[in-house]
Amino acid sequence: MDLSYTPEELAFQREVRVWLKKNVPKRQRDERPIEFGDPRRIAQAKTWQRKVHAAGYLALGWPREYGGQGMDVMRQTIVNEEMVRARAPGLIGMMGIQMVGPTLIQHGTEEQRRRYLPRILEADDIWCQGYSEPGSGSDLASLRTRAELVGDEFVVNGQKVWTSNAQFADWMFCLVRTDPNVPKHAGISYILIDMKTSGITVRPLVQMTGDAGFNEVFFEDVRVPRENLIGGLNNGWQVANATLAHERNMLGSTMRTQQTFQKLLRLARTQRRNGGPASADPVIRQRLADLALRVETMKLEAYRQLTNALRGRPAGISASVSKLVTTELNHDIARTALEIMGSYGPLARKDPRVRDAGIWPLDFMYSLGLIIGGGTSQIQKNIIAERGLGMPKEPRLA
Ligand SMILES: Cc1cc2nc3c(=O)[nH]c(=O)nc-3n(C[C@H](O)[C@H](O)[C@H](O)COP(=O)(O)OP(=O)(O)OC[C@H]3O[C@@H](n4cnc5c(N)ncnc54)[C@H](O)[C@@H]3O)c2cc1C
């Protein structure tokens, strides 16, 4: 494994760093676009994504004909690292860029790629993920939202839940049951639904962070053209899993984790505890050392995965490993910050005595959600055990 950049990559890194220094909007630093309800913030986030795209720093690995830069994965890694370093706001089109986009490159037709991919990058279309249903979360293949083919259209009836961003999304990539008479994995299709189609009702759900980031989505005789089918009729399970691997890679990225850990160290050095800085407290030091080891381990794991990608080796279960470890690590970092702050920890964002603009209690709650979203930790452990370690499948309960 070679851990250094080539002279060309270093020059590219400098160029990106200079651009970000000039262009990251100061007031929007560290902003997370996932929990948006305010149309002004949505518009602001779209403007930011368009600017990044116009500069050539979006989807660096996508082919040029679909709006990408046709570069290798190293350039994308450099941009990602610099974005974190510059505390650039998150991208509002993440589900398009990191989930459905790569899936369309893999499983879409040429026409579908040309139609959807450039609009994803331009933030003209924001996407949401219609997988989970009441009673079908971990056991996703049991989903019941029905799509019947009538002529050249699917007629969709049913309900999705926990659909992040549906309140402002333009499109949904959605799993539907197209054949109820075959084993559950074999009767699912992956279709793209225009959220403006009549018969769709979106009802926001408020999370413990106080934001309404996800929703219930109801379908009543929603008509979807057959041409919006991805990867063939009743072949949705394969396509869905491709998207899930991309999602787990996204959630398992350690770049922001490294940054957050540095912030935790700053907090520990400046927060008083037992008459000295918290970082001098033996219990806190032990906790910080444990977190430092885990952060470093995940950084090296990310390098290992990058090397595998560059050498064209199969990714295997690496997305599940990163998702499992990183989301739990993010939560433990936030938990340690709350412990360090003691009774000041849970103070709300607007309280004048908050530390770090009140981000820690919010991070604590938000990161807990990400341990569940994209497949819970228990489900990742099942995947690692069965597909990675070759252990026997979990026993079916009667
Ligand atoms: C912040 C957030 C955002 C989300 N965004 C979206 C979205 O945009 N689109 C979408 O479709 N979904 C989304 N989800 C839903 C998410 O995918 C589901 O919550 C998740 O898959 C778990 O399903 P469930 O909530 O039905 O829990 P359940 O499946 O009912 O699980 C309950 C508990 O049982 C455990 N469990 C279940 N089965 C097993 C098993 N076989 N072995 C061991 N333990 C098991 C689980 O680990 C969990 O602890 C989001 C969730 C969150 C928290």
Side-chain angles (χ1 to χ4, degrees):
M1 195 191 291
D2 181 2
L3 297 176
S4 53
Y5 289 135
T6 63
E8 294 76 29
E9 285 162 355
L10 284 172
F12 178 71
Q13 183 189 48
R14 272 194 300 277
E15 175 199 308
V16 179
R17 198 171 290 180
V18 169
W19 187 87
L20 286 168
K21 199 159 185 234
K22 246 193 250 162
N23 289 286
V24 167
K26 291 226 168 18
R27 266 187 304 129
Q28 291 169 42
R29 276 189 184 158
D30 291 328
E31 224 171 46
R32 275 185 296 238
I34 193 109
E35 319 247 291
F36 280 177
D38 175 354
R40 262 184 325 157
R41 283 188 65 197
I42 294 171
Q44 239 173 25
K46 286 186 176 178
T47 305
W48 168 243
Q49 181 171 319
R50 284 177 189 136
K51 208 166 180 180
V52 174
H53 183 42
Y57 298 142
L58 205 58
L60 282 91
W62 288 17
R64 281 187 169 278
E65 58 269 37
Y66 311 131
Q69 301 297 323
M71 291 180 175
D72 67 13
V73 62
M74 281 307 288
R75 301 285 159 134
Q76 183 66 65
T77 305
I78 290 169
V79 170
N80 293 349
E81 279 177 355
E82 293 306 315
M83 289 271 187
V84 172
R85 187 196 296 270
R87 295 167 55 200
L91 296 167
I92 190 164
M94 269 328 244
M95 289 205 200
I97 300 164
Q98 296 232 350
M99 292 166 68
V100 71
T103 306
L104 288 174
I105 292 175
Q106 224 174 327
H107 293 280
T109 62
E110 186 57 21
E111 202 189 327
Q112 287 166 340
R113 292 182 196 136
R114 287 189 186 274
R115 174 168 174 199
Y116 296 109
L117 295 177
R119 293 182 60 82
I120 287 175
L121 300 183
E122 286 290 348
D124 289 335
D125 291 338
I126 302 299
W127 287 77
C128 63
Q129 176 187 33
Y131 277 26
S132 307
E133 297 182 6
S136 302
S138 300
D139 184 15
L140 182 60
S142 68
L143 61 94
R144 285 172 300 173
T145 293
R146 185 84 172 90
E148 274 177 272
L149 251 184
V150 179
D152 271 348
E153 288 179 327
F154 292 103
V155 181
V156 182
N157 282 287
Q159 188 203 333
K160 296 289 169 183
V161 72
W162 319 127
T163 321
S164 305
N165 298 355
Q167 74 274 29
F168 60 83
D170 304 287
W171 284 84
M172 172 189 279
F173 51 99
C174 185
L175 297 182
V176 288
R177 185 151 304 283
T178 34
D179 189 346
N181 301 316
V182 291
K184 59 183 181 180
H185 295 87
I188 295 171
S189 296
Y190 188 108
I191 61 173
L192 310 181
I193 303 181
D194 183 341
M195 293 295 282
K196 287 179 281 301
T197 320
S198 82
I200 299 179
T201 308
V202 176
R203 283 204 209 135
L205 294 165
V206 178
Q207 292 149 249
M208 64 176 161
T209 55
D211 298 303
F214 49 33
N215 307 266
E216 296 176 293
V217 182
F218 299 87
F219 302 92
E220 213 177 315
D221 288 333
V222 174
R223 294 186 167 265
V224 179
R226 187 182 177 140
E227 68 198 31
N228 293 12
L229 174 69
I230 307 297
L233 194 65
N234 298 323
N235 194 35
W237 191 246
Q238 278 67 29
V239 188
N241 274 295
T243 307
L244 276 174
H246 295 305
E247 178 177 19
R248 288 168 187 161
N249 273 326
M250 174 176 83
L251 296 173
S253 164
T254 52
M255 294 199 184
R256 249 178 229 280
T257 308
Q258 294 167 37
Q259 188 91 358
T260 314
F261 181 64
Q262 292 305 321
K263 200 158 68 184
L264 177 69
L265 289 182
R266 283 197 295 276
L267 177 74
R269 287 187 191 114
T270 52
Q271 182 76 27
R272 306 283 299 169
R273 190 183 162 102
N274 297 333
S279 55
D281 181 302
V283 174
I284 298 292
R285 286 180 78 78
Q286 187 71 30
R287 194 74 51 83
L288 293 174
D290 172 60
L291 291 170
L293 284 176
R294 290 162 67 194
V295 170
E296 197 58 23
T297 307
M298 288 319 289
K299 194 168 107 187
L300 292 174
E301 169 62 15
Y303 288 150
R304 196 171 70 94
Q305 290 177 17
L306 182 59
T307 306
N308 284 343
L310 286 167
R311 300 198 177 147
R313 295 185 192 136
I317 48 146
S318 61
S320 285
V321 172
S322 302
K323 201 273 167 182
L324 168 69
V325 181
T326 307
T327 54
E328 294 197 347
L329 178 54
N330 290 340
H331 190 57
D332 288 346
I333 290 175
R335 182 203 304 275
T336 305
L338 293 191
E339 279 173 19
I340 287 173
M341 289 187 289
S343 50
Y344 287 87
L347 285 177
R349 274 173 264 187
K350 294 210 172 86
D351 193 290
R353 291 160 300 178
V354 291
R355 292 290 317 262
D356 296 335
I359 193 70
W360 292 112
L362 202 65
D363 245 14
F364 177 78
M365 293 184 277
Y366 184 79
S367 58
L368 184 59
L370 295 188
I371 292 175
I372 300 166
T376 65
S377 281
Q378 288 76 18
I379 293 303
Q380 303 315 315
K381 285 177 186 169
N382 283 349
I383 293 171
I384 294 165
E386 291 167 14
R387 295 184 215 160
L389 303 175
M391 290 168 76
K393 272 197 170 296
E394 54 168 328
R396 290 268 159 252
L397 300 175

